[in-house]
Amino acid sequence: MTFTPHTIDPDLDLELVRETDVAPELVWRAWTEPELLTQWFTPKPWETPVVEVDLRPGGKFHTVMRGPGGEENDNTGCFLEVIPNERLVWTGALGPGFRPQTGPLLFTGVQVHSYCRIQNAVVLPYVDIGRYARLANVIVDRGVKIPAGLVVGEDPEDDARRFRRTSRGICLVTQRMLDRLDG
């Protein structure tokens, strides 16, 4: 798989660049050798006790970050592009072998209230998910307010009536679609 980078749009994208006087080979080793990655990957007092690197396109990139109170953040992703000493691209949206992750992918600013169940979902930024909502096999558009108790992904006919549903059972949920339910 070849990765094609997008072009930075200065009106929409923020690009952070930091230039350092370090040999590319050393930077490459710091990112690709687990025994080096564990030394710097998380800020103190956090630590990275687990690192797995299968350095090939489609290969696994797995880290576990542990906080001072014992809390853990387990992350598994997939390398998209591997060009030694030049380019290393990975994502958390895909698992090893370019397979979609099975858990929910929640973007910045997503608020999930108590007693919710979210499976196989992509929830874009600034979504508010009300109590007792059950969401499965969904993509939720940016800024949507999911009402308490809403169920999506359990009844194909009901989903197709209320939302845009693909032939593979994935539902797109937008605020406009939800507003039509109230009206």
Side-chain angles (χ1 to χ4, degrees):
M1 175 178 186
T2 301
F3 175 76
T4 304
H6 74 282
T7 301
I8 299 292
D9 179 343
D11 293 331
L12 300 173
D13 300 317
L14 173 63
E15 180 181 25
L16 301 175
V17 176
R18 181 176 182 186
E19 295 184 17
T20 58
D21 188 20
V22 179
E25 296 78 17
L26 294 177
V27 174
W28 183 262
R29 288 186 57 216
W31 275 103
T32 61
E33 295 180 21
E35 62 276 5
L36 296 177
L37 199 70
T38 60
Q39 296 176 35
W40 67 269
F41 194 65
T42 52
K44 300 290 181 202
W46 284 68
E47 62 181 3
T48 310
V50 176
V51 176
E52 294 177 67
V53 175
D54 179 5
L55 199 56
R56 62 184 174 84
K60 182 179 190 179
F61 182 58
H62 175 230
T63 61
V64 174
M65 296 178 273
R66 184 177 299 137
E71 63 275 27
E72 290 191 345
N73 188 346
D74 191 321
N75 301 282
T76 298
C78 160
F79 288 106
L80 300 175
E81 187 174 23
V82 178
I83 302 172
N85 300 320
E86 186 178 322
R87 188 174 183 85
L88 185 64
V89 180
W90 79 92
T91 181
L94 299 174
F98 305 111
R99 306 298 301 173
Q101 297 285 24
T102 57
L105 177 59
L106 307 178
F107 281 75
T108 302
V110 172
Q111 174 102 26
V112 179
H113 295 272
S114 53
Y115 311 107
C116 293
R117 188 177 75 217
I118 305 170
Q119 298 174 292
N120 300 330
V122 175
V123 182
L124 297 177
Y126 309 110
V127 169
D128 187 289
I129 302 174
R131 289 172 60 119
Y132 298 101
R134 296 194 318 263
L135 307 175
N137 303 316
V138 298
I139 299 171
V140 181
D141 194 19
R142 178 186 185 97
V144 168
K145 182 164 179 38
I146 300 288
L150 181 73
V151 176
V152 181
E154 295 180 15
D155 182 336
E157 291 178 10
D158 193 35
D159 290 341
R161 243 188 340 273
R162 300 179 301 159
F163 306 109
R164 181 166 293 166
R165 184 176 182 275
T166 70
S167 60
R168 300 182 86 186
I170 306 296
C171 289
L172 172 64
V173 178
T174 67
Q175 191 62 54
R176 178 180 282 172
M177 293 171 185
L178 290 171
D179 291 344
R180 283 195 323 242
L181 297 178
D182 293 336

